[in-house]
Each structure stands twice: as structure tokens, then as C-alpha cells.
Amino acid sequence: ENYRTTITFKAVTEDAPNGSEIRWFVDNTDCGIGYDDKYFTVHQAKKTFTVRADLYCNDGTVVQSKTEEVVIKKNIILVIKAFFQNLFGKLPVVYQ
């Protein structure tokens, strides 16, 4: 993705146990529970990062886990482009 792109992730779970929750991690930092329990957004990403979604049962054990590395492209042209896109409220938004 390009510099300063906002990226929304969706965790798809099948047969999730009742009372389970999805916790999100960015570069192994716990970011808590996403909105609507399955979505998480990284706003205006400026560097490459790893995002992970863990599905926890009510007893605290991890049932499923999925990790994805997101590569953020950054060079002088993309930084200047993002500057002008931001001025006009046109920064890119991506849903994954």
C-alpha cells in the first residue's frame, strides 16, 4: 500500500464459540478489540507493519490466529503525493 493509506481489516471466523472475542495486534502490540468485534483500522500508515487477529474463547485461550504483513511503499514522490491528497481530503482508504 502507499504511504498514509488508511487500511481496514476484517477478521472472518467460522464457528466462533459464544462469548468469544477478536483481539488485534500491530507489530505485537495489543490494540484491543476492534469495532463491531471483527474490524480493525490502521489510519494513515507510514511504515511497513504486521497485523494479527487472535480469536479468544471466554476462558482466554486462543482458538484461531491470522497474521499479515503490510508493506507500505514510501519514496519522495509518494510522500509529496500524500501531502497534496491530505490537503484535499483524498488520502486512499483500503478494505481487506
Side-chain angles (χ1 to χ4, degrees):
E1 303 299 333
N2 286 339
Y3 181 76
R4 292 188 74 181
T5 297
T6 294
I7 307 165
T8 297
F9 298 91
K10 178 181 180 183
V12 178
T13 58
E14 295 179 16
D15 302 325
N18 287 338
S20 61
E21 68 180 20
I22 298 168
R23 295 196 69 81
W24 295 88
F25 298 82
V26 174
D27 292 334
N28 291 321
T29 300
D30 188 346
C31 297
I33 300 169
Y35 66 92
D36 195 20
D37 197 33
K38 59 184 168 189
Y39 296 97
F40 178 73
T41 301
V42 174
H43 298 277
Q44 297 187 22
K46 295 181 180 177
K47 66 180 185 84
T48 296
F49 62 93
T50 301
V51 65
R52 185 177 85 229
D54 290 348
L55 176 64
Y56 285 86
C57 279
N58 6 357
D59 66 0
T61 58
V62 177
V63 179
Q64 292 178 340
S65 184
K66 177 151 187 199
T67 303
E68 180 179 341
E69 182 180 34
V70 179
V71 177
I72 302 299
K73 296 180 275 184
K74 180 181 175 184
N75 60 42
I76 190 65
I77 302 297
L78 292 174
V79 170
I80 292 169
K81 179 181 175 183
F83 173 79
F84 285 104
Q85 286 175 319
N86 187 48
L87 282 178
F88 297 103
K90 300 287 186 184
L91 286 171
V93 176
V94 174
Y95 298 92
Q96 293 189 343

